[in-house]
Amino acid sequence: MAWDRQGRSVPVWRSLQSKFILSYGAIIIALILFLNTYPILISQDLVFRSKQDSLWRQADLITSTLAGSEGLTAEGVEANLTQLGVIDATRRVMAAGVDRVMVTDPAGLVLFDTSEVDNAKDKYGLLWEVVSALRGEDVFRCEYREDAFRSRAAAPIRYRGMTQGAVYLYEYDEEQAGMLVDFQKNLRNISIVICVVTLLFSLLFSTAVTRRIAVLLRGIRTVREGEYSHRVSMSGGDELTQLADEFNALTGRLQTTEEVRRRFVSDASHELKTPLASIRLLTDSILQAEHMDGSTAREFVADIGEEAERLTRITEKLLTLTRMDTMPPVVREPVDLKQVVLRVEHMLTPLAGTRQVNFRMDLAGYCTVLANEDDLYQVTFNLVENAIKYNVPGGTVMVSLFLRRGRNRGDGDLVVLRVEDTGVGIPEEDMPKIFDRFYRVDKARSREAGGTGLGLSIVRDMVRQHGGTVEVRRRMPEGTCFEVVFPRWQPEQKEEKP
């Protein structure tokens, strides 16, 4: 029994298995009709042609023998047919494939007839074939009736353009008719066997296919209910197996996406909850204090402002990530990455001075990439800002920009942006996770520096959106190195439009 999405039973005739069987049944019926019709018709036509040739040969032989200057007589006809070997002395037909011989004069009067049942001698042969032959036409007619072939042929007897009479031949053949009937029975038996075998095969095949499809349907419904860890197990190497593999891969991605979504919601809720709790605590303290001096109140309000700014930063970065996930492809244009790095240096020089961190730049020219300038600025800003914030007093931030050859033959040049610092660095076990949203190596120090745990996620997504890669590794002897790689834009490349 088949079931629809609402759990209601589906009529049998609408199920896939029934459609398989009906399709095979229609093909089988057409095949049986063909096998039981076409060969029989061809065989019957061959028999007709064979009998036509045989009777016409006999008729030509007899007419050529009987034609002469003198008129036809009963004695003359009988003598010629006996001499020809068509009949014997007892008037029994000896010619192969002929059961009756009848000869008429020009008026249709029967001069000779070998039939013992309805002999028409001295009567007029008012048969259609005889009449047509007296008109000068060669006639043949054959039919299958009552398990026998009944063949008739008639030909005119001509002499110097005149019709002297007509010859009529008749054959009654049960032997070939019986062979044709046996042939038809054999075809029918073979068709029945083929029909049964094919129906059994179609039943087995449709059952196997629908059973495997049912496994996929159950898997889909299970995943639809939210059980993303469910996997479909299906053996074989056909298209349904490939479909099951694709389904498992899809559910795996859904499971990963769902886990990331839940973790993201949990982390976002936690990150938003902390400053909100601080703001609530500070406001409650102000409201509950009856006699609070002005300096303490200003200090509490300043703390509330800092937490509000933190909320603003988290919200802005969340909106940035959301826009990147949903927005259409951005407009790309050739951008000189060196000029972008110089703008970032100019913007972050005051922050570096406050943190007592030095800049060291090594920027090569002709480092042009096909990207969005604002995105490149955001990527560079986030990496350099992190290098400053998580550095040590007196430390250095080194920014390098250079060209590199592609690894494979035929690859173009690559533009490499490398940002290094001399800070405390990142532990090896944390490096694979630092691009995850809301992940912090040192949560207390990160919040103290104003971090949200979203900056590196934005960097990774923006770089990928523009066909680049970003990697992180430890810098020896201390610090961290981030390396962003973009394909270099060549002048013959066309700008991409959305």
Side-chain angles (χ1 to χ4, degrees), residues 60-73:
D60 288 342
L61 180 61
I62 295 173
T63 56
S64 62
T65 302
L66 296 179
S69 58
E70 299 179 358
L72 297 177
T73 62

Side-chain angles (χ1 to χ4, degrees), residues 2-10 221:
W3 306 88
D4 62 7
R5 294 180 59 181
Q6 286 73 33
R8 297 172 299 189
S9 62
V10 176
R221 288 164 183 160

Side-chain angles (χ1 to χ4, degrees), residues 163-177:
T163 300
Q164 293 182 320
V167 174
Y168 171 81
L169 303 178
Y170 173 78
E171 180 191 17
Y172 181 85
D173 187 356
E174 290 183 330
E175 183 180 355
Q176 291 197 40

